Amino acid sequence: MSRELVVTEVGPQALVVDRGRPGWAHIGVAAAGALDGPAHALAQRLVGNDPGAAGLEILLGGLAVRATAATTLALTGPPGGLRIRRPSAGERVVASHQPVHLAAGDVAVVPAPSSGLRGYLAVGGGLVVDALLGSRSADTLSGLGPAPLEVGTRLPLGAPTEVPALGTGAVGVSAVPEAVVVTVHLGPRDDWVDDAAGRLRRGTWTVAPTGDRVGVRLEGPELERSAARRGVELRSEGLVAGAVQVPPDGQPVVFLADHPTTGGYPVVGVVDPAELAVFAQLRPGSSVRFAPVATPVPSPS
Amino acid sequence: MQVLPVGPEALLVDLDGHPDVLGAVAAVGAALRDARERGELPGVVDVVPAARTVLVTAPGDREALREVRALLASVDTAAVPDRAEAGSVELAVHYDGEDLELVARDAGCSVDEVVTLHTGATLTVAFGGFAPGFAYLSGLPAPLQQPRLDTPRPRIPAGAVGVAGEFGGVYPRASPGGWRLLGRLTEDAPVLFDPHRDPPALLQPGTTVRFRDAG
């Protein structure tokens, strides 16, 4: 029998993700890939996969998958547990952040986390759905890559690359905080906002309920246009993940992995890449403060 | 030329004010791509030319930005690349767009004259972006250079042909958008974006595009 995961229940959103497809922005294709990159990478390591392997990104749980062959799973992201249903033995609960062996026919259920938003499920051998432009990631903005999971979706598994080390116990992990301070590097268009550094440093914003993989909208003090730039339109220019864009209403949007590759509103700053993953996990209503820093482009040597 | 920071791992080359700004953008974009193809900028992942700027990204390799800056110092922004190999494409259009009359009114001419202007122009792909396979076409006749709609439409169908500002364009797939719509490609139009094709985008920088009235 072929090695597969078969989806038997699905929650708000479950997507195939890997590290994404960087390098195609010039033809309008975003990198996409796991929003919480470190959590995805840890899950792959826990089951012994290559770091480029594909797994699942599960928004607010609700997913159940049946394994057609014996395999190993690991769930990462916010702390929590997996429920494993075995037809002959009922249901058991195992902690996240460790490898879990499944027998053929076992069903793994991912419940909603008690903090944060997105869990990452890795499977031994990885999910070997067709790759597009070097990646198996779904891109919710462009529709590229595998469709969101539905009941009945069958996900083929690759051959496990090595036997994962077991018996080490779960990796310690903290609950996702409800308030964060993130470093934001000013520019390229901080001069389009009146006292950008001061406003970013003083303000506290709330995560709006409309966030998705494209970006998270923040509600709070208005980032007002500087006098010199009022009534002027910026020409569309390239965007990066982590860009803090300021639309005309002054309420910032932090772009995430499925962002449009160009945008026409000024980007006041860019969230430090090492701190961006938290935006995959911040629930609506969480509070965000910024620590603005000036990071000039390095001079030629 | 201004070089602006975009976080610790990217920079934006701003060429606004250059007398031939689209040519300068193309020159900078081509110089960076050529250098990368020669293996000189291994840390650079994306080079994204746009209307006035070129974005350069080097994830995890801040030092690469130093090399990019050194290269920028020697780029001749007047050296517009020869892109004859980008070829030419003719696209047949049903001119029945929702904004045809608005465009005619703002252009001060008839709907038929809008079609004549649009089909009479030879446009050139300036750069790609926005969505997979979308190309910004320069060379739009002046009367057709019109602002975006005040309120973007939530859904524009695939194949829609529009204008916005100095550019023309065709939506490769359904998406939200604020361009003024003149018409739609015919059913048998070539596929604008196919991720299994090399290159995936039909319209490459430098490709010339002519539109034909399909009635």
Side-chain angles (χ1 to χ4, degrees):
Chain A
M1 190 176 203
S2 57
R3 287 166 43 78
E4 289 176 332
L5 290 187
V6 182
V7 177
T8 60
E9 296 169 37
V10 71
Q13 183 186 60
L15 300 171
V16 176
V17 292
D18 58 11
R19 291 183 299 187
R21 52 179 71 81
W24 297 98
H26 61 288
I27 58 167
V29 176
L35 280 200
D36 187 341
H40 166 75
L42 176 60
Q44 300 304 325
R45 275 178 59 198
L46 286 169
V47 300
N49 281 352
D50 179 272
L56 295 178
E57 178 178 281
I58 303 147
L59 176 65
L60 292 170
L63 181 79
V65 287
R66 180 168 52 80
T68 65
T71 187
T72 306
L73 299 182
L75 177 68
T76 62
L82 272 170
R83 298 204 303 272
I84 309 296
R85 291 181 196 144
R86 181 165 295 177
S88 58
E91 187 171 288
R92 67 193 160 106
V93 176
V94 296
S96 63
H97 297 81
Q98 63 176 346
V100 177
H101 287 304
L102 296 193
D106 282 0
V107 173
V109 182
V110 179
S114 56
S115 70
L117 294 175
R118 290 179 171 90
Y120 290 85
L121 190 71
V123 193
L127 305 175
V128 291
V129 299
D130 290 340
L132 277 184
L133 302 176
S135 165
R136 297 185 164 97
S137 283
D139 180 336
T140 58
L141 185 66
S142 69
L144 286 183
L149 271 52
E150 296 175 359
V151 171
T153 301
R154 304 180 81 90
L155 300 164
L157 305 181
T161 47
E162 63 182 75
V163 178
L166 296 181
T168 51
V171 176
V173 59
S174 315
V176 175
E178 287 167 4
V180 295
V181 181
V182 295
T183 307
V184 62
H185 301 269
L186 292 167
R189 302 294 180 190
D190 49 315
D191 60 322
W192 284 60
V193 168
D194 177 58
D195 184 23
R199 285 175 191 263
L200 285 167
R201 188 178 301 110
R202 287 191 300 271
T204 300
W205 284 266
T206 302
V207 174
T210 51
D212 57 22
R213 287 183 44 87
V214 175
V216 172
R217 179 174 288 276
L218 301 176
E219 294 169 343
E222 186 183 342
L223 293 172
E224 245 178 84
R225 277 280 174 97
S226 54
R229 305 291 190 180
R230 257 170 233 153
V232 184
E233 289 309 307
L234 185 69
R235 301 302 186 121
S236 288
E237 56 194 27
L239 281 176
V240 297
V244 181
Q245 194 190 58
V246 184
D249 66 2
Q251 302 292 299
V253 175
V254 179
F255 278 116
L256 302 179
D258 293 357
H259 64 86
T261 55
T262 54
Y265 297 128
V267 168
V268 68
V270 177
V271 174
D272 193 277
E275 299 175 35
L276 186 60
V278 77
F279 284 95
Q281 302 294 0
L282 288 177
R283 290 190 168 188
S286 304
S287 103
V288 174
R289 294 180 61 88
F290 290 110
V293 295
T295 306
V297 180
S299 307
S301 39
Chain B
M1 180 191 299
Q2 256 193 306
V3 179
L4 304 171
V6 182
E9 302 178 344
L11 59 78
L12 191 69
V13 186
D14 190 343
L15 295 150
D16 198 13
H18 193 285
D20 172 19
V21 69
L22 287 177
V25 161
V28 169
L32 289 164
R33 287 190 172 277
D34 291 351
R36 199 173 51 166
E37 274 168 30
R38 290 193 303 267
E40 288 171 21
L41 298 171
V44 170
V45 167
D46 274 307
V47 176
V48 191
R52 299 289 180 266
T53 58
V54 181
L55 172 73
V56 185
T57 73
D61 190 356
R62 187 165 161 72
E63 279 306 299
L65 300 183
R66 221 182 274 287
E67 297 160 23
V68 170
R69 271 197 99 157
L71 187 140
L72 288 172
S74 65
V75 171
D76 176 5
T77 57
V80 180
D82 171 18
R83 297 185 293 198
E85 82 288 353
S88 60
V89 172
E90 185 181 82
L91 298 171
V93 178
H94 297 299
Y95 283 94
D96 57 2
E98 290 175 67
D99 303 313
L100 203 51
E101 289 182 14
L102 171 69
V103 171
R105 195 165 64 232
D106 283 1
C109 67
S110 69
V111 162
D112 285 349
E113 284 166 325
V114 169
V115 174
T116 303
L117 281 169
H118 197 247
T119 53
T122 298
L123 304 176
T124 304
V125 177
F127 54 92
F130 170 61
F134 193 92
Y136 291 79
L137 307 172
S138 63
L140 204 60
L144 300 184
Q145 298 191 11
Q146 299 190 5
R148 284 162 200 265
L149 299 173
D150 290 335
T151 308
R153 291 192 172 91
R155 189 175 185 281
I156 288 179
V161 176
V163 295
E166 68 198 286
F167 299 113
V170 183
Y171 285 80
R173 54 201 306 159
S175 78
W179 291 42
R180 295 185 176 197
L181 304 182
L182 304 182
R184 60 196 157 88
L185 296 186
T186 54
E187 291 288 320
D188 58 356
V191 176
L192 296 174
F193 182 80
D194 176 357
H196 299 291
R197 187 172 62 194
D198 183 20
L202 177 72
L203 305 179
Q204 297 286 313
T207 302
T208 56
V209 178
R210 288 189 65 98
F211 293 102
R212 180 166 59 80
D213 185 3

